[in-house]
Amino acid sequence: MIGPEELLAACERAVGRAQALGAEQVEVFAESGLSTEVELQKDDIHTASTSDETSFGVRVLRGGSQGFATVNGIGNLEAACSEALAIAAVAPADEFNQLPDPRAVERFERVPDAALRELRVDSLVDLAGSMLAEVRARDPRVRIDTGGVAASVHSRALASSTGIALCEAGSEASSHLFGMAVDGDDVGSFDYDSSTVLRADALAPALSGLTERFVEKCLGSLGTRSGESFRGTLVLSPEVVQSFLLGDLLPVLSAKAVRTGRSPLAERLGQSIAAKALNLIDDPRLPEGTASGAFDREGMPTRRCVLVDRGVLQTFLYDAYEAQRAEVEPTGHACGGAAALPRIGTSNLLVSPGDTPYEKLCREPDRGILVTRFSGQSSAITGEFSGVVKGGFLLRQGERVPIRETMIAGNLYDLLHSISGVSSELTNLNGCALLPAIRVEDVSITAG
Amino acid sequence: MTPVDSDELHSPEPVPIEEVRATLRDCLDAHGDFVELRFHQKVVRSVAFEQGRLEAATLRRREGTGVRVLHGGTFGFASCGSADPAEVRATIELARAAARASSTYRREKVQALAGRELARGHFEGEGFDELSGRPLDEKIELACEAESKARAGASSITHASCGYNEIYEGKAIVTSDGADCSLRLVRPEFRVSAIAERAGERQVGFQSVGKTGGWNCLFRDKSARQLGDEAVQMAVELLEAQRPHGGRARVILAPSIVGLLVHEAIGHTVEADFVASGSVAAGKIGKRVGSELVNLYDSGESEFLEGAGGTLPVDDEGVITRRTPIIEAGVLTSYLHDRESAARFGVMPTGNARAWEYSDPPLIRMRNTYIAPGEQDFEQMISEIDDGYLLEGPRGGQADSTGEFMFGVGQARRIRGGKLAELVRGVTISGIAFDVMHSVDAISRDFHWDLGSGYCGKGQPAKVDAGGPYVRCQVMLGGDQ
C-alpha cells in the first residue's frame, strides 16, 4: 500500500506527464489499499485472503474533448495518460468540459486506527471463528451460506492541473452474514445483515450485534403462511427505507438526471415531494460516518446538505460539470473511486426520527405488512414498483405473522406522500445511514 | 502546448498471455502444497451517450495474479498487481500464510480436489483481434447515432441513451497438479433505452445485446438501429398499457424470460455451494423436479447458436468446460461444481469455477444456462390459451434458497381466446421454481440466447447468458388489487 503523501506525489507527476503529452487539463485520482478478509461458507471458515492494490484514474481534456483511462499499478500510470489522450483525440467536444478550480477544503481529521492497521490475518480468523460459534449458540437452525470479516487501511489522493492537491487516509472493518434458517422441511428465505466500523475495538461488539440481528431475521421467515390480498399499509424497515425508498429517490435528485430529463422531480425544487414527516440529510462530515471525507472525487469540499425538509425538496446534487452547466456552485457530490469517471452520489444519509415508537408503528394498523426485505423491480423514472416481500410479516391487530410469496405494487412518488408515520428509533446501517422505519399507506398487496 | 505525438498515443498491446503462462509455470517450483496461479488481464472500453452528449468514453485496464494455496486442508488466497516472478513468489507465501491461519479453525477440511481433465495449451476466442482492431471513433459514432435516432424515434420520446462496452480478457492459469493453459476472449455489449412521456406519465423502453465474439457476432441478429427502434416502440406502447390484475396465470415465457427463470430460479439452487448450505435442490438428484418435457443444461460452450455471452473454454481452476445436464426429462441429474465440491460429492468438476478479476478467488458460477428446444409450434401454443399472457423482456430478478423467485417483465401481452391482445405493464412474476417446472405443458422448437448483456451477482459479478425456446407454464402475476 502507498501512503497518502506518496500517492499524491505520484498523481502530481502523472499530471505533468499528461500535460507533456499534450493534455490541456489533467486530473489524476488515486486509491491505495491493503485489505485482509476471512470468508465463511457453509457454517465454516472457508478462505483467508489478502490484497494490496493501487489504482489510478486519469482524466484529460483537450480542445473540449474528454478522455479517461484507469489502471492498477504505478508502473502502468504513464500508459493510462497516453490512453486517456488517445480517447480525447477522437471524442466529440463539449464546451462545459472543464476541470474545477481549487476551493478551500476544511480539514476533516480522521487518523486511521493503528490497531486496525496492525490486525493480522490470525486475529481476523479468530474473530470469524467466534462469529460462527455465536450463530450456532444462538440457534443451530440458522445456516450461514456465506459471510466474512474484513479489515482494510487505505489512502486516496487527487492532483489536477488547475491546482488541486489533496490526500487523506482511512481504515475500516466490515462483516456480513448471508444465509437462512432450516427446520426440518421448513426452509426459510435467504437473509442478510452487515456491519462496518472504524476502529478495531468496535469490531467484536459489532460482530455480536450482527449475529443477533441475523439469527432473528432468519428465524423470522420460518413457519410462514400465505398472506392476504388487499390495498393497505406497509411498514418499511430501515433496511428497506435505504435500499428501496431512498435507493430509488436519490438517483433522480442528481443534477445530471435533471439535465437529461430523467428526473420526474426536475421542476419540483422548493415544492412538496413527500409528507411533512420526511426530512432527508446528506452529511459527509459525520464524525463516525464510514462514508465521511474532507473532499469529493473531484477535490471539491464536502458539506452537510439538507435534501428534503418537512417534505419539501431543497436542492439537487451537483458535481463540477453539472454545476458549471447550471451556473451554481458544486455541492461536493462527485463520488466513486479511481476505476471510473466521477459520478453523482451521496455519502452518509440521515432521515430525522419521528415521534412514534417502532412497536406502535407496527401495532396501529388494523391490517398491514411489515417489509424487512423487498425483492423486485422499481423505476425512479416512472415511479412504478412491483415485487416480492421477503421475510415479511402480516400485521393484524397487534399480531405479527410471518408470510411468504406476497407481492406489492405501486408508485414511489405516491408512496412518499402517503407516509403516515416515522419511527422514533434510528438504525445505524454500516455507519453510512441512520434511518428510521417508515409507514406508508394505500399499497396494492397480492398474496400467493 | 506541446503537440501530441501520435506514436505515443497508441494503446499498449495486450499482454503476451502465453509468455505470462511460461513465467507463472516457473514460479510454481516444488512447494509441497497445491498451488494455483491465475494471471488475469481485463481491459474494458466503454462509450456512453445520453441526450446528445458523450457522457463517457473510458478505458479500464486491470491486471494481476491471483494465487490460491491449499495448506492444512484449507485454501489461502492472495493477489498482486503483476506477473513479476518475485512478486508472484511473495504472494504465494502470503496465500500460504493465510491458509495456515485459517486451517486451525476450519472444521471440514478439503481432502482432495477432483479433476482429471485439466486444460493444457492456448484457447483463442472468436473476434478478439477483429474487435480490438476496429477504430474507437467508429464505436463512438455508432453509439452517438443510435442515441440520436432513438431520441427522434417518436414524438413522445423525451429521453434516450446508448451504451457500448467491450470486455477483453486474457488469462493464464497454471496449477501444481497439471493445469497449464491460457485463453483470450472478448465480450461486446450494446444497449439502448428510451423514455416516452405523455400527460405527465412516463414509460421506459430498453433493448440490449451481449455476446462472446466480435462485432459481427454482436449485431448478427439485430442491427443497432433495430435495437433502438424496438426500445422506442416498447416505450411508446407501454404508455397505452394498463396494469394486470394480480393472481395465478397461464403464461408463455419468451426465451429471455425462460433464461432468467432457469438462471435465477433453478441454476442458483443447483450450485453445489448453495446445495451444501441446504438449498431446495439438496437431496433431489435422481428425483422428478419438473414436467418430463423439461431438459435443462448449463454449458461453457455456445449451444445451438454462436456467441452466447457466458461462453468459456476453460474455467478459472483450469478445468475444461462442458455441457452439464441439470435436468433431463424432468429429473434432476447434476449440480454445478468446482474442484473442491466435486471431490466432496464424489463427481467430476463441471467447469463452473469462475473469478471476476485477478483479485477474486474462484466461486461456483453458471455460464450459459438454457432449456433445450421442444417439439411444439409457437403459434399453436398461443392458440391453446383462452386467457393468459405472453411474457417478454426481463427486467432483473432474484431467487431464493427455497426456489422462490421473482422477476420483472418488460412486456406482458395479454392472450385472449387463443390470440395475442393488448399490452400490460408493471408486471412482476413469481413462484416456486420446481412448481413452475412441473406446470410446463408445452415447449416450442425455437431457440435464442437472450441474457448476454446481463451480469450475475454472487459476491462477485459474472458474465453469463441464458435462454431457450418458448415455454408454457403457470406463474403468479403481480398486479393491482
Side-chain angles (χ1 to χ4, degrees), chain B residues 198-441:
Chain B
R198 194 184 54 202
E201 190 179 345
R202 300 164 151 226
Q203 285 299 325
V204 182
F206 180 82
Q207 283 296 333
S208 65
V209 61
K211 298 288 182 191
T212 305
W215 185 267
N216 294 333
C217 180
L218 182 66
F219 296 115
R220 180 188 59 210
D221 300 330
K222 287 174 185 171
S223 68
R225 178 67 191 262
Q226 276 176 293
L227 290 162
D229 288 348
E230 287 181 8
V232 167
Q233 189 184 354
M234 184 193 297
V236 171
E237 283 191 8
L238 283 171
L239 276 179
E240 306 287 337
Q242 300 298 309
R243 282 182 172 280
H245 190 78
R248 193 157 294 281
R250 196 171 185 211
V251 299
I252 292 176
L253 308 179
S256 59
I257 303 287
V258 170
L260 196 57
L261 177 73
V262 297
H263 175 95
E264 295 289 350
I266 307 280
H268 281 302
T269 68
V270 298
E271 289 169 339
D273 49 349
F274 277 166
V275 173
S277 294
S279 88
V280 71
K284 288 198 165 64
I285 293 286
K287 296 191 175 157
R288 175 161 297 283
V289 294
S291 145
E292 62 182 15
L293 297 174
V294 176
N295 294 290
L296 197 158
Y297 302 87
D298 180 72
S299 180
E301 294 171 11
S302 187
E303 313 281 345
F304 303 105
L305 289 168
E306 289 293 298
T311 303
L312 192 70
V314 180
D315 79 358
D316 288 314
E317 293 185 317
V319 173
I320 291 175
T321 62
R322 291 272 159 78
R323 189 184 74 154
T324 307
I326 296 172
I327 297 173
E328 289 191 307
V331 173
L332 191 70
T333 50
S334 174
Y335 301 131
L336 303 177
H337 290 285
D338 60 12
R339 297 185 65 190
E340 180 187 343
S341 75
R344 184 162 291 137
F345 282 74
V347 298
M348 292 305 293
T350 53
N352 285 85
R354 299 182 65 184
W356 175 239
E357 291 186 350
Y358 80 89
S359 56
D360 300 307
L363 300 176
I364 299 174
R365 309 302 296 269
M366 282 169 265
R367 303 151 308 186
N368 303 315
T369 316
Y370 65 96
I371 286 182
E375 295 174 350
Q376 302 283 309
D377 178 67
F378 172 55
E379 304 296 334
Q380 178 74 22
M381 284 165 62
I382 291 178
S383 72
E384 290 166 359
I385 293 184
D386 187 47
D387 183 9
Y389 295 86
L390 170 64
L391 305 177
E392 291 188 77
R395 289 273 174 103
Q398 286 180 24
D400 224 320
S401 50
T402 55
E404 183 180 345
F405 68 89
M406 183 295 310
F407 41 81
V409 175
Q411 293 163 292
R413 194 167 289 282
R414 197 75 197 259
I415 302 172
R416 295 177 191 274
K419 290 194 167 53
L420 290 174
E422 78 276 11
L423 202 64
V424 294
R425 71 185 189 203
V427 174
T428 304
I429 62 172
S430 70
I432 306 289
F434 290 148
D435 290 354
V436 173
M437 288 296 106
H438 278 295
S439 77
V440 170
D441 67 358

Side-chain angles (χ1 to χ4, degrees), chain A residues 43 53 83 94 190 262 386, chain B residues 53 61 107 358 400 428:
Chain A
D43 299 313
E53 186 173 72
E83 287 168 349
D94 178 341
F190 281 132
R262 274 187 293 118
S386 174
Chain B
R53 180 185 183 234
R61 182 183 299 270
R107 290 179 301 167
Y358 80 89
D400 224 320
T428 304

Side-chain angles (χ1 to χ4, degrees), chain A residues 69 350 379 411:
Chain A
L350 316 172
S379 163
N411 186 286

Side-chain angles (χ1 to χ4, degrees), chain A residues 17 42-44 48-49 53 62 70 72 83 94 97 145 189-190 259-262 321 377 386 388, chain B residues 4 8 12 50 53 55 59 61-63 77 107-108 159 202 274 276-277 358 400-401 406 427-428:
Chain A
R17 177 61 184 151
K42 304 185 287 286
D43 299 313
D44 205 351
S49 61
E53 186 173 72
R62 192 165 190 271
T70 173
N72 67 318
E83 287 168 349
D94 178 341
N97 275 339
D145 181 70
S189 65
F190 281 132
R259 169 178 58 84
T260 56
R262 274 187 293 118
Y321 177 85
Q377 60 166 344
S386 174
V388 176
Chain B
V4 182
E8 290 185 87
E50 184 172 2
R53 180 185 183 234
E55 291 289 338
L59 185 128
R61 182 183 299 270
R62 191 160 183 256
E63 62 190 33
F77 181 82
R107 290 179 301 167
E108 194 172 349
H159 177 276
R202 300 164 151 226
F274 277 166
S277 294
Y358 80 89
D400 224 320
S401 50
M406 183 295 310
V427 174
T428 304

